[in-house]
Amino acid sequence: MAKLVEIRDLKVEATTDSGRRVEIIKGVSIDIAEGEIVALIGESGSGKTTIALTLLGYARPGCRIAGGRVSLAGRDMVTLSEKQRAKVRGTEVAYVPQSAAAAFNPAATIMDQVIEVTRIHGLMTPEEARSRAVDLFRALSLPEPETIGSRYPHQVSGGQLQRLSAAMALIGNPKLVIFDEPTTALDVTTQIEVLRAFKSVMKQGGIGGVYVSHDLAVVAQIADRIVVLKGGEIQEAGTTDDILTSAKHPYTRELLAAFEPKPRQAFQAATAPAPLLKIDGLVAGYGQIQADGLPLVRAVENVSLKVEKGRNLGIIGESGCGKSTLARAIAGILPAAAGNIVFDGVKLDQSARQRSREQLREMQIVFQYADTALNPAKSVEDILARPLTFYHGMGAKARNARIDQLLDMVRLPRNLRHRQPGELSGGQKQRVNFARALAADPKLILCDEITSALDTVVAAAVIELLKELQRELGLSYVFISHDLSVVEAICDEIVVMYGGKKVEEITPAKVKAPQHPYSQLLFSSVPRLDPTWLDGLEQDPELVRAYCRR
Amino acid sequence: MTMTSSETTSERMTGSRFGYRFNIVGMIGLSVILFWAIVAIFAPLIIPYPVGEIVDLDYFGPMSADFWLGSDYLGRDMFSRILMGARYTVGISLAAVTIACFSGVVLGMIAAVAGGWLDTVLSRFLDALNSIPSKLFGLVVVAAVGSSIPVLILTLSVIYIPGSYRFARALAVNINAMDFVTVARIRGESTWYLIRSEILPNIVGPVLADLGIRFVFIVLLLSGLSFLGLGVQPPYADWGALVRENIGGLPFGAPAVMAPSFAIASLTISVNLLIDNLPKKIRDRSE
Amino acid sequence: MNNRVLSLVLSRLLIALITLVIVSFAVFFATTLLPGDTATILLGQAATPEAVEGLRKAMHLDDPAIFRFLRWIVGLLQGDLGTSYANDMPVADLIGGRFINTLKLAGVTALFSVPIALTLGISSAMLRGSLYDRIVTVMTIGVISVPEFMIATSAVLIFAVYLKWLPALSFANEIHSLSDMLRIYAMPVITLTFVISAQMIRMTRAAVIETLNTPYVEMALLKGASRPRMVLRHALPNALGPIVNAVALSLSYLLGGVIIVETIFNYPGIAKLMVDAVATRDLPLIQSCAMIFCLGYLLLITTADIIAILSNPRLR
């Protein structure tokens, strides 16, 4: 096969606030053959998107290609003039963005934007372009391919927009398509359809591709070769099979290990299980209260569940299933409209305002985004000190010692206490976030998607930490997530939610054989590291239609 | 998640090296502001001639070694009058902006944290107040109660409370929606704690910048009112009143007309320059 | 047009109406309830207490404030603006011609300033960081930072005193030819154009830059779009709402600017009338002028909000 892309010793610099230049890509070389799909994989900040964008001759504001060569079909994108680059963009190389919802202009119809490339470069008449677009819509198995183009971007779903952005990329017949985390923002059941559509059009057209992702399992389905990146350098490169089966580099192994299921040891109860939290017929939602005393939009409908002391409950479901609302209702942030919350034998008030300080202390909640969960104007020390003063009335000296203990517990160096959240990494922030909940000495911690914003390896470490702390402190967790592997790793009981309702309650041991059709669909949609998984996957189309808002 | 998130996180700093960067334009702005502040405080000690005394034989005299900025329509020393005028312009504006921003920010934070009907009523009322053009408001009040320095300060601050309220409320609403405020709320913290400890520290920077901008507006409005004869009344004179007194010199191109205008411009432009070039905390990786 | 847009527009109109009521309340109370007895003002300090008392009765000044307010509002709605204290003429007659003059001045200014400001604002956003952009930015900051009378006096100094091209004062009733009109309107219009354009340029530039930073404009760049295409096709349609808002806000600033400009150039408009009314404490005249200004302001702001709602593609 002929070489389509040849990246040689690529260096990209970024300018920091103080005007200092920092090298963020440190001499990377990659080859891509015609029709080959190469995945760039790595955690946030590894430079994967930056490298992919240089193939379009583009560096984001503040960044600059400082050296090396990026040749695409014989042309060096680095040395081309801006005009020449514009000619190549859309015709030779095209881009599929991470968030199609943001990348579509809200003020123009989808069709106008899809065929814009042909208009810019004068490739064909508008009629030809339109009919080609409809063909692409069909190939990408979009619904109503004839008419979907006349809609505005906000009128179609996220999964559809993502496929429409692929149509937008493919219309100019490019030799190379760059996919920038195109399925990261999608639910797993939606992701499958999108991945399939991408894979089939790429293979049919014999188009080369660069697939940027942090998810090894997704990449395994679509890529011929995988390049593992970290800190702007290539750690390891090889065929997909080689990387998955015989990775040499420690970082790659770490990535792979994060995928290994680490089932939790079954809980050996010395005494009879005592319920810590019991919820009965909980209804919560938003909007005007209707005549029946329930809110207009009911995000959680009639959910009942139980958490035993020292055990963990997982709540799993896709975006919009009401799992976060449920957590907020339990915590009393959004007072439930109906139902009972019994905590440690006492019936709690629906609203946190009406609960006693002691009740509030015993049940803590940890949020998904540590960025917004920590006050950026305070130091780590102040953040951790407040619950100690507030709940335990500790003096300065006791507080000081306890903060050191807490930092030790979440495996953070003690000297971090003087830093502000803005100076911490994502994983460190999430640990501080968790330490603040621990500072209250709670019995139960509600964890709302706490690993979702973290890189795979970091998330795996946080989960390990949670398990250890549970062993030491005898805590219980309610673990809310969209990620089955995370829930499986830590929970004794799993509740599956769909459309505000609880559809099934199972144990991890039975995850392989769920009863409810939605659980079956959800669990079978989680990508596996096996490259043949997607091709071999068969899902009942009836089921898919019933449960997926694709 | 934005598209850039995967790359920007790499810029996150891991060290704790602190530093501020302050560029030359900002420094010039700050020095001019400090200059006028010192002048306002020490004016009586540094003026070369008493402000009320007719010292030049000529009226609308040109700039000279004796009278640096010429003389006014009566033959009084312009330079002295401008130095004294700084007291009124800077003093009244500073008092007004302090009252306006303090009230606006306090009300804004209360509205944001309390929410509900209090927020709605307060917002509606202050928005309505805001839809009276500021000069008009000044005119109406002066027409009704006459002009004195306390009335001026109060009027100017009432005019700018709605804007300050709106700004602070918008900021506070954003902060209030953050998870760390939710965490504090379900910890059982009082509203007062939420305002003081969680919200205020996070809006204080933008609020100070807003205070600067509003100071400029107030200086301009005060000068405008004085220029119309509705502001500071004789025998006192702020910079706007100095222009009004001497407007008769305009056809002769007398320095007495333009000099006070330049004084106003030097102050307001400096404040704007300072705000646009505030010292920046350097956020940088320190590996 | 769908129900959501309709209800948004209607709620906007309702808010405008409520605001108008609050404003008229504020104007009325500011002028009549604050210290300073109207009857005493009218009759002068030397009047006998009996005369003052008589006049108070005649003017219903002893009625509760709320009745006087309602009577005033009902009068306004019927087109009865009251009678001027100063010269016993109906306020409506005093305002009539003056109002037209001010509208003319504002109209001519808008005609010049809006195209100039939009061109400068959009082009400087397109060429962000260039020398051109920096010059525009520095000049707008300069103009925003100085009082209107300084621009007016500078214009007089330059064009009337040194260059002697234009007369310093304007009298709108002495127009005999087109050149007369040009000469008379030139100075006020130049001043006002400067004042409101600066505001508009700044806000337009900010609005366009904000949309230029969106992912969909980056996407257009990566599709090979030229710079003008990115701006005209992708950024501008989405910046329309904020730009219209900027124009409306700046035009509303005309209302304030016009007070200074009419005074300094002795232009017989409604703002000059109002300033004179303040000098004579002619309350009915002040109230009516104030209501006209507030009405104009509300009209502009509400129109801008409605255009922003209608131009939002997400509501289509």
Side-chain angles (χ1 to χ4, degrees):
Chain A
M1 276 194 287
K3 259 187 207 167
L4 176 64
V5 169
E6 206 181 77
I7 299 178
R8 281 292 167 276
D9 200 28
L10 175 69
K11 292 193 174 92
V12 179
E13 281 179 353
T15 312
T16 65
D17 286 355
S18 61
R20 204 154 56 87
R21 291 249 162 95
V22 181
E23 203 162 75
I24 53 171
I25 304 298
K26 301 160 185 161
V28 162
S29 302
I30 299 170
D31 285 337
I32 301 171
E34 270 174 23
E36 186 187 35
I37 299 179
V38 172
L40 301 183
I41 197 156
E43 61 196 16
S44 52
S46 62
K48 51 192 192 298
T49 301
T50 310
I51 295 174
L53 286 173
T54 61
L55 285 163
L56 292 139
Y58 179 65
R60 290 240 161 90
C63 298
R64 185 177 83 84
I65 299 176
R69 206 153 49 80
V70 179
S71 96
L72 172 79
R75 258 181 295 231
D76 184 5
M77 296 301 286
V78 179
T79 53
L80 286 187
S81 73
E82 195 53 39
K83 256 212 172 97
Q84 290 167 314
R85 280 180 197 154
K87 273 203 188 109
V88 178
R89 289 172 186 157
T91 55
E92 303 268 308
V93 53
Y95 180 70
V96 178
Q98 173 173 13
S99 167
F104 271 97
N105 179 346
T109 62
I110 288 167
M111 183 56 91
D112 277 346
Q113 300 186 60
V114 168
I115 65 171
E116 190 180 8
V117 167
T118 67
R119 202 168 274 169
I120 292 170
H121 302 285
L123 299 176
M124 51 186 102
T125 65
E127 288 72 41
E128 281 175 297
R130 257 178 233 122
S131 78
R132 182 166 156 68
V134 172
D135 290 345
L136 280 170
F137 295 162
R138 209 168 275 130
L140 289 159
S141 42
L142 280 156
E144 301 162 43
E146 301 287 343
T147 55
I148 195 167
S150 60
R151 297 197 221 165
Y152 282 91
H154 67 277
Q155 293 166 328
V156 300
S157 74
Q160 289 168 1
L161 270 183
Q162 210 64 54
R163 278 176 282 164
L164 287 164
S165 68
M168 186 157 82
L170 292 168
I171 193 122
N173 254 330
K175 298 196 178 87
L176 180 73
V177 178
I178 289 152
F179 295 93
D180 186 3
E181 304 243 19
T183 64
T184 305
L186 304 177
D187 282 325
V188 278
T189 52
T190 318
Q191 171 171 274
I192 290 192
E193 186 85 350
V194 175
L195 271 180
R196 276 203 177 128
F198 285 174
K199 193 170 180 178
S200 83
V201 288
M202 296 291 285
K203 290 291 167 214
Q204 271 171 20
I207 304 165
V210 170
Y211 198 100
V212 175
S213 178
H214 69 283
D215 190 334
L216 211 44
V218 166
V219 156
Q221 311 307 319
I222 198 162
D224 300 311
R225 279 196 307 128
I226 295 177
V227 175
V228 182
L229 291 157
K230 194 185 182 194
E233 282 169 305
I234 294 181
Q235 307 297 314
E236 187 167 9
T239 65
T240 302
D241 281 330
D242 280 351
I243 295 281
L244 293 184
T245 54
S246 51
K248 290 181 190 66
H249 199 280
Y251 178 68
T252 320
R253 291 214 193 128
E254 229 180 301
L255 268 181
L256 287 164
F259 270 89
E260 297 276 311
K262 288 180 222 69
R264 189 175 138 76
Q265 262 105 48
F267 181 79
Q268 302 299 322
T271 52
L276 178 63
L277 176 72
K278 199 164 171 297
I279 285 166
D280 259 324
L282 202 71
V283 179
Y286 306 88
Q288 212 104 62
I289 302 296
Q290 305 292 293
D292 56 0
L294 300 177
L296 180 65
V297 185
R298 289 190 286 274
V300 173
E301 263 188 282
N302 202 15
V303 170
S304 304
L305 47 83
K306 203 164 67 186
V307 183
E308 314 278 357
K309 268 189 188 129
R311 304 189 61 157
N312 301 333
L313 175 77
I315 298 175
I316 191 161
E318 294 183 297
S319 54
C321 74
K323 56 189 190 301
S324 280
T325 309
L326 177 62
R328 296 174 92 82
I330 296 174
I333 299 166
L334 177 80
N340 280 328
I341 304 169
V342 179
F343 183 65
D344 214 8
V346 184
K347 185 173 177 299
L348 290 188
D349 198 278
Q350 309 287 32
S351 166
R353 275 169 206 250
Q354 309 300 322
R355 294 181 190 172
S356 74
R357 189 176 284 202
E358 200 58 7
Q359 287 171 340
L360 292 172
R361 178 185 71 74
E362 289 180 337
M363 188 200 296
Q364 292 287 310
I365 184 165
V366 180
F367 289 108
Q368 171 175 12
Y369 297 107
D371 284 319
T372 61
L374 302 178
N375 189 339
K378 290 186 173 184
S379 67
V380 169
E381 187 174 45
D382 290 342
I383 290 170
L384 296 181
R386 183 62 194 175
L388 297 176
T389 323
F390 188 80
Y391 289 131
H392 307 299
M394 280 188 191
K397 209 171 158 205
R399 219 161 46 207
N400 234 344
R402 181 69 181 148
I403 290 171
D404 276 342
Q405 273 180 2
L406 286 168
L407 288 173
D408 290 348
M409 275 156 90
V410 296
R411 313 277 182 277
L412 285 175
R414 289 182 177 186
N415 59 15
L416 224 65
R417 61 193 293 164
H418 302 297
R419 301 237 189 120
Q420 293 191 333
E423 302 160 51
L424 303 176
S425 72
Q428 288 174 326
K429 271 186 246 183
Q430 199 55 283
R431 281 163 197 258
V432 172
N433 197 5
F434 199 76
R436 174 175 55 191
L438 290 178
D441 290 329
K443 291 180 177 163
L444 176 74
I445 300 182
L446 304 170
C447 304
D448 187 4
E449 298 263 17
I450 62 168
T451 58
S452 304
L454 301 177
D455 289 316
T456 328
V457 174
V458 181
V462 168
I463 293 292
E464 278 313 300
L465 174 72
L466 294 194
K467 285 191 198 171
E468 272 174 52
L469 287 172
Q470 175 159 45
R471 275 196 295 276
E472 288 166 30
L473 306 171
L475 292 164
S476 291
Y477 301 128
V478 171
F479 212 90
I480 289 145
S481 182
H482 69 280
D483 187 342
L484 183 65
S485 59
V486 171
V487 173
E488 251 183 301
I490 195 162
C491 295
D492 305 285
E493 219 90 41
I494 297 173
V495 164
V496 183
M497 281 187 73
Y498 179 80
K501 296 196 178 84
K502 171 172 143 184
V503 297
E504 191 171 8
E505 185 167 344
I506 42 179
T507 56
K510 293 190 194 126
V511 161
K512 299 286 176 290
Q515 295 300 305
H516 193 278
Y518 175 70
S519 314
Q520 292 169 354
L521 178 73
L522 180 65
F523 294 173
S524 68
S525 299
V526 179
R528 312 242 167 89
L529 272 180
D530 173 9
T532 60
W533 168 78
L534 183 65
D535 297 330
L537 180 70
E538 273 174 35
Q539 287 181 327
D540 183 358
E542 283 294 310
L543 216 62
V544 171
R545 213 163 302 134
Y547 288 108
C548 297
R549 292 140 299 166
R550 287 171 180 169
Chain B
M1 282 249 259
T2 59
M3 284 179 67
T4 51
S5 63
S6 64
E7 297 313 311
T8 45
T9 41
S10 69
E11 315 302 330
R12 192 169 287 147
M13 63 185 216
T14 48
S16 60
R17 199 183 57 177
F18 291 105
Y20 283 89
R21 201 156 55 111
F22 195 12
N23 67 21
I24 182 86
V25 182
M27 267 191 272
I28 293 172
L30 185 63
S31 349
V32 176
I33 296 166
L34 287 178
F35 167 76
W36 282 123
I38 292 167
V39 166
I41 296 168
F42 297 109
L45 303 178
I46 51 178
I47 46 171
Y49 302 96
V51 282
E53 212 162 287
I54 297 169
V55 287
D56 193 2
L57 299 172
D58 202 2
Y59 61 95
F60 290 133
M63 293 192 233
S64 64
D66 286 338
F67 310 107
W68 289 3
L69 294 174
S71 55
D72 77 349
Y73 71 114
L74 293 176
R76 294 175 291 193
D77 176 41
M78 247 353 256
F79 183 59
S80 307
R81 289 185 69 76
I82 288 179
L83 293 188
M84 276 305 267
R87 294 201 126 187
Y88 299 102
T89 298
V90 176
I92 293 174
S93 305
L94 208 58
V97 82
T98 311
I99 297 174
C101 285
F102 180 79
S103 331
V105 169
V106 168
L107 288 176
M109 287 198 298
I110 290 175
V113 173
W117 63 267
L118 183 70
D119 183 21
T120 314
V121 169
L122 217 52
S123 298
R124 244 327 103 248
F125 177 71
L126 287 171
D127 270 358
L129 213 57
N130 207 13
S131 60
I132 304 176
S134 52
K135 284 206 184 61
L136 200 82
F137 194 95
L139 280 179
V140 171
V141 172
V142 169
V145 290
S147 183
S148 65
I149 287 176
V151 168
L152 270 180
I153 292 177
L154 225 62
T155 311
L156 290 171
S157 47
V158 167
I159 290 173
Y160 284 101
I161 285 176
S164 171
Y165 164 82
R166 220 179 183 180
F167 184 80
R169 183 184 166 276
L171 287 173
V173 163
N174 280 343
I175 301 292
N176 193 42
M178 295 271 194
D179 288 335
F180 64 82
V181 180
T182 310
V183 167
R185 197 169 268 147
I186 56 167
R187 193 187 300 140
E189 302 281 8
S190 65
T191 305
W192 169 236
Y193 175 86
L194 294 179
I195 289 178
R196 175 178 54 91
S197 215
E198 302 287 348
I199 293 182
L200 187 61
N202 287 295
I203 68 171
V204 80
V207 159
L208 284 179
D210 179 63
L211 187 126
I213 293 170
R214 240 159 266 286
F215 176 75
V216 170
F217 288 156
I218 289 182
V219 168
L220 294 180
L221 180 56
L222 172 66
S223 309
L225 286 176
S226 292
F227 176 79
L228 291 173
L230 305 167
V232 180
Q233 300 297 322
Y236 313 115
D238 69 333
W239 290 338
L242 287 177
V243 178
R244 176 187 170 81
E245 289 178 352
N246 296 306
I247 194 76
L250 191 58
F252 324 121
V257 189
M258 292 316 281
S261 298
F262 280 117
I264 298 170
S266 72
L267 178 63
T268 51
I269 291 178
S270 300
V271 174
N272 270 329
L273 288 181
L274 177 64
I275 291 166
D276 284 354
N277 300 284
L278 280 176
K280 276 193 196 109
K281 192 171 180 177
I282 295 173
R283 296 203 164 264
D284 199 353
R285 291 192 295 183
S286 58
E287 306 132 340
Chain C
M1 198 71 154
N2 55 30
N3 281 338
R4 217 166 125 218
V5 173
L6 200 66
S7 72
L8 273 173
V9 170
L10 285 178
S11 77
R12 203 61 205 85
L13 288 174
L14 189 72
I15 287 174
L17 208 64
I18 294 172
T19 311
L20 192 61
V21 172
I22 299 180
V23 165
S24 50
F25 218 71
V27 167
F28 180 82
F29 280 73
T31 46
T32 61
L33 287 197
L34 290 169
D37 182 69
T38 316
T40 322
I41 296 165
L42 275 182
L43 297 172
Q45 297 293 340
T48 61
E50 290 75 29
V52 171
E53 193 50 39
L55 190 63
R56 289 185 69 85
K57 276 243 162 58
M59 292 178 73
H60 305 282
L61 286 180
D62 291 326
D63 291 357
I66 188 78
F67 286 119
R68 284 186 286 141
F69 174 66
L70 288 177
R71 196 174 294 129
W72 178 65
I73 282 282
V74 170
L76 281 189
L77 290 177
Q78 291 169 344
D80 172 19
L81 304 183
T83 310
S84 159
Y85 291 171
N87 48 15
D88 259 340
M89 276 170 70
V91 169
D93 293 352
L94 283 172
I95 287 178
R98 296 282 198 122
F99 186 49
I100 306 280
N101 281 345
T102 297
L103 280 185
K104 272 190 210 155
L105 182 58
V108 175
T109 306
L111 213 62
F112 278 99
S113 59
V114 174
I116 292 175
L118 291 188
T119 315
L120 285 174
I122 294 169
S123 59
S124 67
M126 275 173 76
L127 303 170
R128 182 168 32 143
S130 67
L131 183 68
Y132 168 78
D133 175 37
R134 262 177 280 165
I135 291 173
V136 172
T137 307
V138 167
M139 284 187 57
T140 50
I141 289 188
V143 174
I144 285 175
S145 308
V146 303
E148 298 99 335
F149 61 76
M150 182 171 176
I151 294 170
T153 47
S154 311
V156 170
L157 270 183
I158 294 169
F159 295 113
V161 176
Y162 293 128
L163 297 175
K164 300 199 181 8
W165 287 355
L166 299 163
L169 304 176
S170 55
F171 296 99
N173 41 8
E174 289 173 15
I175 295 176
H176 300 300
S177 66
L178 189 71
S179 67
D180 269 3
M181 182 157 139
L182 269 181
R183 287 158 62 85
I184 283 159
Y185 274 99
M187 210 77 92
V189 168
I190 288 173
T191 307
L192 280 176
T193 301
F194 257 96
V195 170
I196 68 166
S197 295
Q199 216 40 282
M200 233 184 295
I201 291 169
R202 234 170 121 85
M203 289 164 80
T204 307
R205 178 177 176 276
V208 174
I209 283 180
E210 190 170 315
T211 41
L212 277 177
N213 283 338
T214 56
Y216 53 81
V217 173
E218 184 183 59
M219 189 68 224
L221 171 81
L222 295 179
K223 285 200 271 188
S226 60
R227 228 178 146 69
R229 190 184 179 91
M230 277 156 58
V231 174
L232 298 177
R233 285 265 174 162
H234 294 279
L236 270 190
N238 289 292
L240 200 62
I243 290 177
V244 171
N245 214 5
V247 170
L249 269 179
S250 308
L251 289 184
S252 76
Y253 200 72
L254 254 180
L255 303 173
V258 95
I259 296 179
I260 299 275
V261 167
E262 287 187 4
T263 310
I264 211 168
F265 294 111
N266 213 7
Y267 181 93
I270 190 172
K272 179 82 170 62
L273 183 68
M274 186 169 169
V275 174
D276 293 343
V278 170
T280 55
R281 305 197 60 163
D282 193 344
L283 291 183
L285 192 51
I286 295 172
Q287 285 167 348
S288 302
C289 291
M291 285 309 289
I292 288 175
F293 275 105
C294 293
L295 201 62
Y297 181 87
L298 266 178
L299 215 62
L300 279 169
I301 296 299
T302 308
T303 314
D305 278 352
I306 290 175
I307 290 178
I309 292 170
L310 295 180
S311 73
N312 184 346
R314 283 174 218 276
L315 291 174
R316 240 172 243 162

